[in-house]
Amino acid sequence: MPIVAEGKKIPLIAIVGRYYAVKEDGNPDYYKIEEHIQLAEKFAVEIWNAGFAVFTPHLNTCHFEMKAKVSELVYQAFDLFILKQMDCVFVLPNWKESRGGRKEVEVALENNIPIFDSIEEMIKWRDGIDGYKKADTSCLFPPMRPQDLIKKY
């Protein structure tokens, strides 16, 4: 459901990627978390500049793990609610490393929301150019083995 501004439709995009990181001792790795936030911001700016409206969860709750007393489950529920309103999803290069990112991609697939890992391909999709390429999400669906196809009674 794109928005309309300046007389044109602007598709709504959600950015999906890794946010949280922990050190070997189990404590939060704030350096890595900041790297993830900066990566999301870099792509968010590029995508805004390409003519899309972008929801970036990394920036919406930036460092809230230190600032707020809200359960991570609340943030996740909110992100999934917003994600279902999007026209498409853009996955960061690190999305496969994130349980939350994989869940968001699954929800996008369940809701027939296109998923991209290339801004150029997302622009082709927006502009109605045939032959655009969506992101590879096959990692969510392991290949079937012959023994998986045999029913066990």
Side-chain angles (χ1 to χ4, degrees):
M1 64 180 71
I3 60 173
V4 177
E6 300 176 341
K8 59 184 173 183
K9 290 182 180 178
I10 302 173
L12 305 177
I13 310 307
I15 289 187
V16 169
R18 187 171 182 187
Y19 178 90
Y20 201 69
V22 294
K23 296 178 185 177
E24 289 182 21
D25 64 6
N27 288 313
D29 187 337
Y30 295 114
Y31 178 78
K32 279 288 193 193
I33 292 170
E34 182 60 28
E35 280 184 354
H36 298 156
I37 292 167
Q38 288 180 19
L39 178 67
E41 180 179 41
K42 173 189 172 290
F43 278 98
V45 169
E46 288 183 43
I47 295 168
W48 273 105
N49 286 337
F52 297 88
V54 185
F55 171 64
T56 312
H58 302 70
L59 301 176
N60 190 55
T61 55
C62 180
H63 294 300
F64 276 29
E65 69 278 358
M66 295 185 299
K67 301 173 185 176
K69 296 177 182 173
V70 178
S71 163
E72 181 64 27
L73 295 175
V74 175
Y75 298 137
Q76 291 170 359
F78 177 69
D79 289 350
L80 292 176
F81 173 80
I82 296 294
L83 182 116
K84 292 176 186 176
Q85 315 308 310
M86 298 292 113
D87 295 306
C88 74
V89 165
F90 183 85
V91 291
L92 298 173
N94 63 11
W95 76 271
K96 294 175 186 174
E97 301 167 16
S98 166
R99 273 183 303 183
R102 291 190 304 272
K103 175 64 176 173
E104 289 167 335
V105 167
E106 287 176 12
V107 168
L109 289 169
E110 290 167 4
N111 288 275
N112 298 312
I113 299 170
I115 302 164
F116 296 94
D117 58 5
S118 161
I119 297 171
E120 293 77 19
E121 296 301 319
M122 199 165 58
I123 290 169
K124 288 179 190 176
W125 165 81
R126 177 198 61 201
D127 295 346
I129 298 171
D130 290 335
Y132 60 83
K133 183 178 176 242
K134 294 181 188 176
D136 179 11
T137 58
S138 62
C139 66
L140 297 175
F141 311 100
M144 295 292 285
R145 302 171 301 169
Q147 59 267 34
D148 295 332
L149 300 174
I150 301 170
K151 288 186 178 180
K152 296 181 179 176
Y153 296 97

